[in-house]
């Protein structure tokens, strides 16, 4: 399952925050102000290699310009839930996913241990996004799934906490370790990402190298040749999970960013408007979120101003270490709260 862990934080950002908003906007525009999207261009953040990076806005609004909408924060969660391939989940899991309000009955006494042979679900990609209208700044902070946390005197990880305690508890805990009041959440899975690509009708992308890999446990087979390819949703899952690059100039992060550019070009093409409107109508198939159409309408001007905002990415303070061969993350929570207070 290692190839699926942390499968694509950046893709979730684009899909859930700006991709989903694009679907909302397209539906909104189709119904009310037809043609408004034709002049918009997408903007993506750059790869991050340092603790903090700044991307200067291209056309920052004048200080006297009033942007409608309110500053907000949203927690993005990507899970490894794959019921079409992995069949050893608890029979009742479908009724509780993605909220797990009473997961104890699925995972054992007191919610502490898995009940053999049932498979658990993990939060394998977690990102906090803060949109600040007043400072024209958007801040991203990745929360390492391997982060070790103390919950009720028991040490657990971020990736396990979601299933063990449920979505509401998980969101509140993420708020506590970042010092940010979380307004919205958006949760998706690797299968749902694949469904979005298929709903879009595939996508053309230049694969950077030959990708051959088979994960017997998850049933994921990656078999892509270098060069321009027409990718299905399954292909995209393989592309974004692949992490066996022999060329040091290539990486999963760079491939993800290049793929996002291809995705954004298709999503913002005026000829794609009708299909995007259909995906918007079926958005609940691809993401669980409390970001409603009313929230979208309220923040429409703010969302359209994304390309003019300063984009900042900050790493969660702390350090990685190994224990019994497992890679873990020791957080500096007080430093993280200070960092987000300064940057959000």
């Amino acid at each position: 399952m290692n190839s699926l862990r942390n499968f694509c934080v950046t893709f979730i950002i684009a899909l859930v925050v700006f991709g989903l908003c694009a679907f909302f906007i397209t539906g909104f525009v189709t119904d009310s102000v037809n043609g408004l999207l034709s002049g918009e261009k997408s903007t993506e953040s750059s790869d991050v290699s340092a603790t903090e990076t700044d991307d200067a806005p291209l056309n920052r609004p004048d200080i006297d310009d009033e942007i409608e909408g309110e500053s907000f924060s949203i927690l993005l969660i990507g899970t490894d839930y794959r019921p079409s391939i992995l069949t050893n989940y608890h029979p009742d899991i479908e009724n509780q996913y993605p909220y797990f309000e009473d997961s104890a009955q699925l995972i054992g006494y007191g919610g502490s241990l898995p009940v053999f042979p049932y498979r658990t679900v993990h939060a394998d990609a977690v990102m906090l996004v803060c949109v600040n209208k007043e400072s024209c700044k958007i801040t991203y902070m990745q929360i390492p799934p391997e982060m070790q946390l103390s919950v009720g005197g028991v040490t657990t990880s971020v990736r396990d906490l979601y299933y063990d305690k449920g979505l509401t508890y998980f969101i509140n805990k993420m708020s506590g370790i970042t010092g940010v009041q979380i307004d919205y959440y958006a949760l998706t899975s690797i299968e749902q990402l694949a469904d979005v690509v298929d709903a879009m009708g595939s996508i053309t992308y230049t694969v950077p190298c030959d990708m051959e890999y088979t994960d017997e446990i998850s049933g994921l087979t990656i078999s892509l040749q270098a060069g321009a390819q027409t990718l299905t949703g399954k292909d995209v899952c393989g592309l974004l999970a692949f992490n066996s690059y022999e060329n040091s100039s290539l990486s999963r992060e760079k491939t993800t960013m290049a793929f996002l550019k291809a995705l954004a070009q298709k999503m913002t093409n005026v000829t794609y408007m009708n299909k995007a409107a259909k995906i918007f109508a079926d958005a609940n198939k691809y993401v669980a979120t409390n970001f409603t159409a009313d929230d979208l309408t309220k923040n429409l001007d703010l969302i359209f101003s994304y390309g003019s905002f300063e984009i900042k990415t900050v790493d969660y303070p702390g350090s990685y270490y190994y224990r019994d061969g497992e890679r873990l993350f020791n957080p500096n929570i007080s430093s993280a709260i200070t960092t987000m207070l300064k940057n959000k």
Side-chain angles (χ1 to χ4, degrees):
M1 291 297 292
N2 286 339
S3 64
L4 294 179
R5 293 177 182 175
N6 303 316
F7 60 88
C8 193
V9 171
T10 311
F11 186 50
I12 293 173
I13 295 171
L15 174 68
V16 177
V17 177
F18 304 109
L20 183 61
C21 285
F23 298 150
F24 276 127
I25 292 169
T26 301
F28 178 85
V29 170
T30 300
D31 293 336
S32 59
V33 282
N34 190 26
L36 183 59
L37 284 181
S38 60
E40 294 296 318
K41 296 182 180 179
S42 63
T43 302
E44 303 88 25
S45 58
S46 61
D47 292 333
V48 177
S49 58
T51 301
E52 297 188 12
T53 63
D54 295 287
D55 293 336
L58 297 177
N59 296 297
R60 189 163 184 162
D62 293 334
I63 193 169
D64 293 332
D65 289 348
E66 180 65 25
I67 300 175
E68 295 184 3
E70 298 177 357
S71 299
F72 66 89
S73 63
I74 182 168
L75 186 70
L76 310 177
I77 308 164
T79 77
D80 62 358
Y81 186 48
R82 303 190 72 191
S84 69
I85 293 177
L86 305 172
T87 58
N88 56 338
Y89 294 107
H90 190 286
D92 293 335
I93 198 170
E94 184 176 356
N95 297 328
Q96 293 202 28
Y97 182 84
Y99 301 102
F100 297 124
E101 295 175 350
D102 187 22
S103 58
Q105 66 174 283
L106 304 183
I107 59 178
Y109 179 76
S112 59
L113 295 173
V115 177
F116 182 82
Y118 296 129
R119 176 182 296 275
T120 58
V121 180
H122 308 104
D124 276 347
V126 184
M127 177 74 75
L128 177 63
V129 183
C130 296
V131 180
N132 191 315
K133 183 184 78 169
E134 289 72 24
S135 64
C136 294
K137 178 190 295 183
I138 297 177
T139 302
Y140 298 102
M141 173 180 271
Q142 180 184 359
I143 300 174
E146 306 93 341
M147 182 187 296
Q148 300 295 285
L149 299 173
S150 178
V151 178
V154 177
T155 299
T156 187
S157 67
V158 166
R159 68 187 305 269
D160 291 333
L161 181 65
Y162 158 67
Y163 186 87
D164 290 353
K165 293 295 186 179
L167 182 60
T168 299
Y169 186 98
F170 184 84
I171 293 171
N172 289 337
K173 189 67 173 181
M174 296 305 100
S175 178
I177 66 173
T178 60
V180 175
Q181 177 63 44
I182 296 173
D183 301 304
Y184 304 108
Y185 66 84
L187 183 148
T188 190
S189 70
I190 193 168
E191 285 195 354
Q192 289 170 312
L193 297 183
D195 290 341
V196 169
V197 173
D198 287 335
M200 293 170 63
S202 75
I203 186 168
T204 300
Y205 175 74
T206 301
V207 179
C209 65
D210 291 341
M211 297 182 176
E212 298 289 341
Y213 178 79
T214 298
D215 187 330
E216 299 291 347
I217 296 177
S218 68
L220 177 64
T221 297
I222 301 169
S223 182
L224 297 172
Q225 293 183 344
Q229 307 283 335
T230 299
L231 304 180
T232 64
K234 183 178 179 180
D235 293 333
V236 169
C237 286
L239 173 79
L240 300 178
F242 185 78
N243 198 29
S244 300
Y245 293 95
E246 297 180 357
N247 188 331
S248 60
S249 66
L250 301 175
S251 67
R252 179 187 290 175
E253 291 75 20
K254 291 180 179 179
T255 296
T256 297
M257 186 54 60
F259 176 76
L260 283 178
K261 293 178 181 178
L263 179 67
Q265 286 177 352
K266 182 163 187 173
M267 288 173 59
T268 56
N269 192 307
V270 66
T271 61
Y272 176 64
M273 183 176 291
N274 290 335
K275 186 167 290 187
K278 175 64 168 62
I279 293 178
F280 158 67
D282 296 334
N284 63 328
K285 295 181 181 179
Y286 312 115
V287 62
T289 182
N290 61 343
F291 192 86
T292 67
D294 287 341
D295 294 320
L296 185 280
T297 301
K298 178 177 63 178
N299 292 293
L300 193 63
D301 189 39
L302 183 60
I303 292 169
F304 269 123
S305 301
Y306 173 72
S308 300
F309 275 41
E310 174 188 357
I311 309 300
K312 178 179 284 288
T313 304
V314 297
D315 293 339
Y316 197 100
S319 58
Y320 285 95
Y321 65 99
Y322 285 86
R323 185 177 64 202
D324 298 330
E326 183 180 6
R327 188 171 186 250
L328 305 173
F329 184 81
N330 182 35
N332 186 331
I333 296 176
S334 61
S335 180
I337 293 173
T338 300
T339 298
M340 289 308 292
L341 182 63
K342 181 179 72 172
N343 289 288
K344 70 177 183 177

